[in-house]
Amino acid sequence: MSMLDGLRFQLYRLTHRREIEQEAEEEIAFHLAQEARQSAASAQRVCTDQDHQAARRHFGNVTYYREELRRMGGHWFLDELVQDARFAARSFRRTPAFTLVVVFTLAVGIGANTAIFSAVNTLLLRPLPFLEPARLMNVSLSAPAVGSSRARTDVLWPYPKFAVFRDGQTAFRDVTVWSSMQFTVRVGDDALRESGEFTDAHYFPLLGITPTLGRAFLPGDDHLGGPHVAVLGDALWHELYQADPSVRGKMLDVDGTPFEIIGVAPPSFRGLSGIARFWIPLYAPPTVWTNLVSDPYDNRHHVVARLRDGEDPAHAKMVVQQMGANVDAAYPVRGVRDHHMGAIAFELDGLRVDSRIRRTLLTLFGAVGLVLLIACANVANLFLVRASGRRREIATRLALGASRARIIRQLLVESVMLSAAGGVASIAVAWAVIVLLGNFQPAQTFRLQELGGIGIVNTVAIELDGAALAFTAALAIGTGILFGLVPALQATREALVTAIKEGDAPPDRRRRFNTRSVLVTGEIALAVVLLAGSGVMIRSLERLLAIDPGFETDNVLTMRVNRAPTWSRDSIARFYDVAIDRLARIPGVSDVAMIDCPPFAGCGGTGVRFPDRVPVAPELDPVAGLHWSTSTLFNLLHVPLLRGRTFDTGDRSDTRRVVVVSQSAARQFWPNQDPIGRPVAVNITGFDTAYVVGVVGDVRFGPINAPPQPDIYVSYYQAPLSFRMMLFLKTRGDPDHSVTQVRAALKEVAPGFPMYEVTSLSSRVASELSYASFSALLLSIFAMLALTLAVIGTYGVTSFVVAQRTRELGIRSALGATPRTLVRMVIRQGMTLAALGIAIGLVLAVVATRLLTSLLYEVRPGDPATLVGIVLLLALSMLGATWIPARKAVALPVVQALRAD
């Protein structure tokens, strides 16, 4: 019989137990009957009861044979497991407090681990939701370091360059191009600002995405002047058309151009950007979009490719690099000598999140792992205490013939049952943590790598799926064995005579105490590590909160607005004049301003030239942030005017061009000089020579933890933009209360006017800090759980030791020791453990916090002030955990203490 056949036979015996036992009974009865008949036949008489009794005596012990058959079939093991489980359930019912404490402790530890595992699985491990995702690669342009600019490997493609690459490459079976954009979708009199993607006919087939309704783009759609067709996302289909299956053929107004709906994407697909609500062909954009496929220097497109069958990714990367030289030769960089761009390919899966997010998730996973270890140590201590009360029972069972392995198995069944109950309860804890993770804005908290364009995974997608539940089950079983094995081994190694004589009082208190001491010391050390990690994160967050962003955030409402379709490009300035005037007349609004880029948004920069200086090569021009704003912006945000003036109503398109510069720009471009009146040139039509009229304080337009960069402001009315402008409204009360009135006012100016990204400026600042807040919050929660478990463990061990020493304390008291002396003696023993745990934990903390270096701002790993605070917190906590049971013990009357067992 092969091994597989043997396994099948054993499985059959386990699953058909009743049938096999019935067959065995029938076989035994048959043999007994045959024996009785043969005995009667040999005596030549009719079979009688005496013959049956003789047959039984000759056959042997029937019960023994039945048990042997059960043992050979493996049923004995299941029977014993069932008996152990029933016995454990009865014992748990007799000790409900013990059961609840263990289940709750394990539920917290396992639940936190399950939640973070779900996040790691979703954001880092789970394959991308595409056909053969390992064969997909992201291809981008690369640029060398020039001047102060760093080298880049994430430059987007102009379409003509992409066409050269697509037609010349040999490593990929298929190549697609896409761009994520914001569009105005009009439905009746309302306008919605929605995210969409420009793409081609290769996009959906390359990713393996099939529309649930209708079709995707066809090759015939990929030509200039092609049909205006659109594929809806499932969410937009439900919102705008109530999931109408006859939606195909209806028209969708996108930026003033009607598009025929040809299909609906699957519910789980939101494009490679992760936020797309619909898709339209790149060759047939809305009429307001121009030069999408003709401008060789308009870098706006992402490229994704699928490897040919049998193609090695390493070889494909070499082919892409070679094609980069061909692309650069076809479209060299304008006006810059010896500046050659290349091309580079990466596996698409590697761009799902940036390295900082990866480190944060793995750090959190390590933190919850430490919490679980502390929980296991705590539960192991509880089991040791429980086993001490069962010493006589266990010794008696060993004396009656039970093997040590049998007793250990029973104790492990108890621990695994409790761990399984904790695992079931942990699902609620995991769900709560996952909800907490999902409440953070993915684009801010977990910053998706927008340069790579991959936004498929985010915290909203985290869920308790099959993998998470399997992880929970495995963790529950492993945890039960981990914390149950040591108490089980220790409980069964006592000398039988001593255990039976002394009952529940441990004969070797020193050894028992040392075992618990090791566990408690380990708990305290691990708690120090977690507290140190959360401490430096909190200190870093405090430093971030103390940063001056350069403006005031109180009572400011922000919103993005675009030009209404009824206003021509030539009347843009007039349109915004009307809009600002109408908004200023809203009750409760005290001021209105406008700028193209809000703080922390990472606005674009421009090369800066100085007409009064000797010209340098363009690649050596310094770079500054460039912003279009109105004259009221600086006053509204309380940006200080340091020198000169800001814009005024006289700064119009027909007057001399003027700019306002930031303090950092003045310091960098005109060191130790007065910049007022100095000429400067930026890359805006008509601004070949502009003059500095004022210097204002620095505003952080980049990340809040980055130093202020030089910025240059131009008057919106001297160089109006037709899109992306943002309004700032100063209100006298809560800005969120003015949103309805603002929408109504803008609707009066132009029906169908798109208004989006509506939020208060303080919320924008909070979103910028949400990443640091998120990490500090979760680490702090885990650290406080660790501290609580460590305090509980110390309290439990101290209480147990004090209970065992009650008679000793009574004798000492009878001999003249004062209560203060006795309390000090007990506390000294507990604080010795605490000191040892803290010392070990500090060494581990200094090493562990180095892993957080990239997440910290102006705080060093192993920050001395943080470590001192942790030592004081733990010392006070441990002091309380040992003082309380000590006071309870010495409060007992001496006579009662002397009578204690």
Side-chain angles (χ1 to χ4, degrees):
M1 180 185 296
S2 66
M3 181 180 294
L4 182 60
D5 291 336
L7 291 175
R8 288 175 178 171
F9 178 68
Q10 292 297 330
L11 180 62
Y12 174 81
R13 297 188 67 159
L14 291 175
T15 55
H16 296 74
R17 179 176 173 179
R18 290 183 179 276
E19 292 88 338
I20 292 175
E21 288 183 352
Q22 182 63 33
E23 291 176 0
E25 288 291 331
E26 292 175 356
E27 185 174 355
I28 291 174
F30 171 77
H31 283 293
L32 291 174
Q34 285 290 98
E35 182 73 20
R37 282 195 293 269
Q38 289 177 3
S39 177
S42 62
Q44 297 182 351
R45 55 185 171 78
V46 179
C47 185
T48 64
D49 291 340
Q50 288 78 10
D51 294 319
H52 285 287
Q53 292 175 1
R56 283 181 175 275
R57 288 193 300 270
H58 185 267
F59 187 80
N61 191 333
V62 174
T63 303
Y64 171 77
Y65 288 123
R66 287 197 189 107
E67 294 299 321
E68 279 296 299
L69 288 173
R70 292 169 61 84
R71 186 185 62 80
M72 293 172 60
H75 297 158
W76 64 274
F77 183 74
L78 292 178
D79 290 340
E80 289 184 356
L81 284 181
V82 171
Q83 292 171 7
D84 291 342
R86 289 173 178 171
F87 181 82
R90 289 195 298 270
S91 66
F92 295 152
R93 283 197 297 269
R94 290 194 298 268
T95 56
F98 168 83
T99 303
L100 290 176
V101 170
V102 171
V103 170
F104 174 77
T105 302
L106 294 176
V108 171
I110 297 174
N113 276 269
T114 299
I116 302 301
F117 169 80
S118 298
V120 170
N121 184 48
T122 299
L123 300 177
L124 300 182
L125 304 179
R126 184 187 300 167
L128 295 175
F130 305 130
L131 175 67
E132 296 181 345
R135 309 290 296 171
L136 295 175
M137 302 193 77
N138 186 81
V139 185
S140 59
L141 293 173
S142 61
V146 178
S148 60
S149 300
R150 62 178 178 84
R152 295 182 59 184
T153 59
D154 51 16
V155 181
L156 302 186
W157 292 79
Y159 190 84
K161 289 187 177 183
F162 160 72
V164 173
F165 171 80
R166 178 196 59 199
D167 298 338
Q169 66 83 25
T170 58
F172 301 107
R173 187 176 70 189
D174 204 358
V175 182
T176 188
V177 61
W178 64 277
S179 305
S180 179
M181 301 292 176
Q182 289 280 322
F183 301 91
T184 300
V185 176
R186 290 182 175 81
V187 182
D189 293 334
D190 295 325
L192 306 174
R193 196 66 179 171
E194 300 289 355
S195 296
E197 290 179 355
F198 286 121
T199 186
D200 59 13
H202 300 268
Y203 182 81
F204 288 97
L206 182 143
L207 298 176
I209 302 299
T210 303
T212 55
L213 182 67
R215 66 173 178 88
F217 304 130
L218 299 176
D221 300 326
D222 277 347
H223 62 87
L224 290 174
H228 286 95
V229 292
V231 175
L232 289 183
D234 184 81
L236 197 62
W237 177 45
H238 280 78
E239 292 174 16
L240 298 186
Y241 300 97
Q242 291 73 50
D244 182 5
S246 63
V247 71
R248 289 194 306 170
K250 294 184 178 181
M251 307 307 291
L252 180 72
D253 187 305
V254 180
D255 282 346
T257 300
F259 282 76
E260 180 185 355
I261 299 172
I262 60 172
V264 178
S268 59
F269 184 64
R270 295 182 296 175
L272 285 171
S273 64
I275 57 174
R277 308 260 283 175
F278 64 93
W279 296 264
I280 56 179
L282 185 63
Y283 282 98
T287 55
V288 297
W289 293 86
T290 58
N291 302 326
L292 284 178
V293 297
S294 59
D295 188 347
Y297 301 100
D298 182 15
N299 300 76
R300 71 167 73 232
H301 304 298
H302 303 269
V303 172
V304 174
R306 179 175 291 278
L307 291 168
R308 293 183 183 276
D309 295 337
E311 179 68 49
D312 180 63
H315 180 260
K317 293 178 181 180
M318 294 176 56
V319 172
V320 170
Q321 289 181 347
Q322 295 169 0
M323 281 301 304
N326 297 341
V327 171
D328 185 69
Y331 294 98
V333 179
R334 292 183 297 188
V336 181
R337 293 175 297 177
D338 300 326
H339 183 86
H340 300 287
M341 300 189 70
I344 190 168
F346 297 98
E347 285 78 3
L348 189 66
D349 185 75
L351 298 177
R352 59 167 70 206
V353 292
D354 62 31
S355 58
R356 188 183 184 195
I357 304 305
R358 190 181 301 273
R359 285 193 297 271
T360 299
L361 285 174
L362 295 179
T363 299
L364 292 175
F365 202 21
V368 294
L370 295 182
V371 171
L372 183 58
L373 283 178
I374 294 174
C376 287
N378 230 352
V379 174
N381 257 330
L382 291 174
F383 267 77
L384 283 171
V385 173
R386 186 168 185 264
S388 297
R390 300 174 62 186
R391 293 180 65 252
R392 177 174 291 172
E393 170 205 333
I394 294 173
T396 301
R397 295 179 65 185
L398 289 171
L400 291 176
S403 66
R404 187 184 181 197
R406 178 71 178 84
I407 302 298
I408 290 175
R409 191 175 71 223
Q410 178 195 331
L411 296 177
L412 285 179
V413 167
E414 295 180 4
S415 63
V416 171
M417 282 183 63
L418 279 181
S419 183
V424 173
S426 73
I427 295 176
V429 177
W431 176 83
V433 177
I434 288 174
V435 170
L436 176 64
L437 292 174
N439 284 337
F440 285 89
Q441 293 297 322
Q444 296 293 335
T445 306
F446 283 103
R447 293 177 183 273
L448 303 177
Q449 188 168 333
E450 296 177 357
L451 295 177
I454 306 304
I456 303 151
V457 290
N458 53 58
T459 56
V460 176
I462 300 173
E463 60 182 359
L464 284 173
D465 56 6
L469 295 178
F471 175 82
T472 302
L475 199 59
I477 295 174
T479 299
I481 296 174
L482 177 65
F483 71 73
L485 188 58
V486 172
L489 291 174
Q490 186 165 341
T492 57
R493 72 181 183 186
E494 294 289 347
L496 296 182
V497 175
T498 304
I500 293 174
K501 283 183 177 180
E502 297 195 5
D504 295 339
D508 190 354
R509 287 172 186 153
R510 182 180 303 275
R511 188 187 66 195
R512 293 283 181 138
F513 182 64
N514 286 340
T515 303
R516 296 184 182 86
S517 299
V518 170
L519 292 174
V520 171
T521 302
E523 289 184 58
I524 295 172
L526 295 178
V528 170
V529 174
L530 286 176
L531 286 169
S534 65
V536 294
M537 290 296 293
I538 291 173
R539 293 264 293 173
S540 176
L541 180 60
E542 289 176 349
R543 299 291 178 88
L544 288 172
L545 292 171
I547 293 175
D548 180 11
F551 55 89
E552 292 188 7
T553 62
D554 295 340
N555 300 334
V556 177
L557 181 67
T558 66
M559 69 205 72
R560 186 78 73 178
V561 292
N562 276 8
R563 175 177 58 89
T566 54
W567 294 78
S568 65
R569 287 180 177 270
D570 296 335
S571 59
I572 296 172
R574 172 60 182 160
F575 165 73
Y576 281 114
D577 274 340
V578 173
I580 290 174
D581 178 70
R582 178 64 186 87
L583 292 173
R585 289 187 280 111
I586 295 177
V589 174
S590 59
D591 204 355
V592 182
M594 191 165 59
I595 192 172
D596 66 310
C597 178
F600 312 127
C603 313
T606 180
V608 182
R609 300 179 301 280
F610 306 95
D612 60 345
R613 302 178 189 176
V614 177
V616 298
E619 62 267 24
L620 299 179
D621 286 337
V623 176
L626 184 61
H627 313 284
W628 286 257
S629 71
T630 57
S631 59
T632 54
L633 177 75
F634 307 105
N635 181 63
L636 186 148
L637 296 180
H638 291 170
V639 179
L641 176 63
L642 305 178
R643 198 175 305 166
R645 68 173 179 87
T646 60
F647 306 126
D648 57 33
T649 55
D651 296 322
R652 293 283 172 168
S653 58
D654 56 350
T655 62
R656 187 179 75 160
R657 299 297 191 262
V658 296
V659 297
V660 173
V661 299
S662 68
Q663 184 178 13
S664 291
R667 186 182 300 116
Q668 178 176 331
F669 301 151
W670 298 276
N672 302 319
Q673 301 177 43
D674 185 1
I676 302 300
R678 296 300 181 101
V680 63
V682 294
N683 296 324
I684 302 177
T685 302
F687 278 74
D688 295 332
T689 301
Y691 295 90
V692 178
V693 296
V695 180
V696 297
D698 287 323
V699 173
R700 294 179 185 259
F701 288 98
I704 194 169
N705 58 350
Q709 300 299 309
D711 291 305
I712 295 177
Y713 302 85
V714 301
S715 172
Y716 174 81
Y717 295 103
Q718 285 194 325
L721 286 178
S722 61
F723 60 96
R724 82 182 188 196
M725 295 307 295
M726 177 164 280
L727 288 169
F728 286 65
L729 280 69
K730 185 73 171 182
T731 62
R732 297 186 180 90
D734 187 348
D736 293 332
H737 295 165
S738 303
V739 173
T740 303
Q741 293 174 295
V742 170
R743 289 188 184 277
L746 289 177
K747 203 166 187 178
E748 291 178 15
V749 176
F753 189 86
M755 172 180 164
Y756 55 103
E757 294 184 29
V758 182
T759 186
S760 65
L761 188 56
S762 57
S763 296
R764 289 185 179 275
V765 176
S767 295
E768 176 64 17
L769 294 171
S770 62
Y771 181 86
S773 302
F774 168 82
S775 303
L777 174 64
L778 281 187
L779 270 180
S780 298
I781 291 174
F782 299 148
M784 293 311 296
L785 284 175
L787 176 62
T788 302
L789 292 175
V791 169
I792 292 174
T794 304
Y795 175 84
V797 168
T798 305
S799 298
F800 177 77
V801 172
V802 168
Q804 297 299 324
R805 300 178 64 184
T806 300
R807 178 179 294 175
E808 173 194 342
L809 296 176
I811 294 173
R812 289 177 179 271
S813 179
L815 293 176
T818 64
R820 178 177 298 180
T821 302
L822 297 178
V823 169
R824 189 162 52 243
M825 181 183 67
V826 174
I827 290 178
R828 185 186 304 115
Q829 187 173 6
M831 293 305 293
T832 300
L833 289 182
L836 180 59
I838 291 173
I840 297 173
L842 287 176
V843 175
L844 297 176
V846 171
V847 177
T849 52
R850 294 184 182 275
L851 301 175
L852 304 176
T853 301
S854 62
L855 306 177
L856 302 178
Y857 175 73
E858 293 186 352
V859 176
R860 292 181 303 167
D863 177 58
T866 302
L867 296 181
V868 169
I870 289 171
V871 170
L872 293 176
L873 175 62
L874 270 170
L876 291 174
S877 301
M878 296 301 111
L879 182 62
T882 55
W883 179 80
I884 294 174
R887 286 294 303 170
K888 287 183 178 179
V890 300
L892 285 176
V894 175
V895 175
Q896 185 176 347
L898 291 174
R899 290 176 178 174
D901 293 331

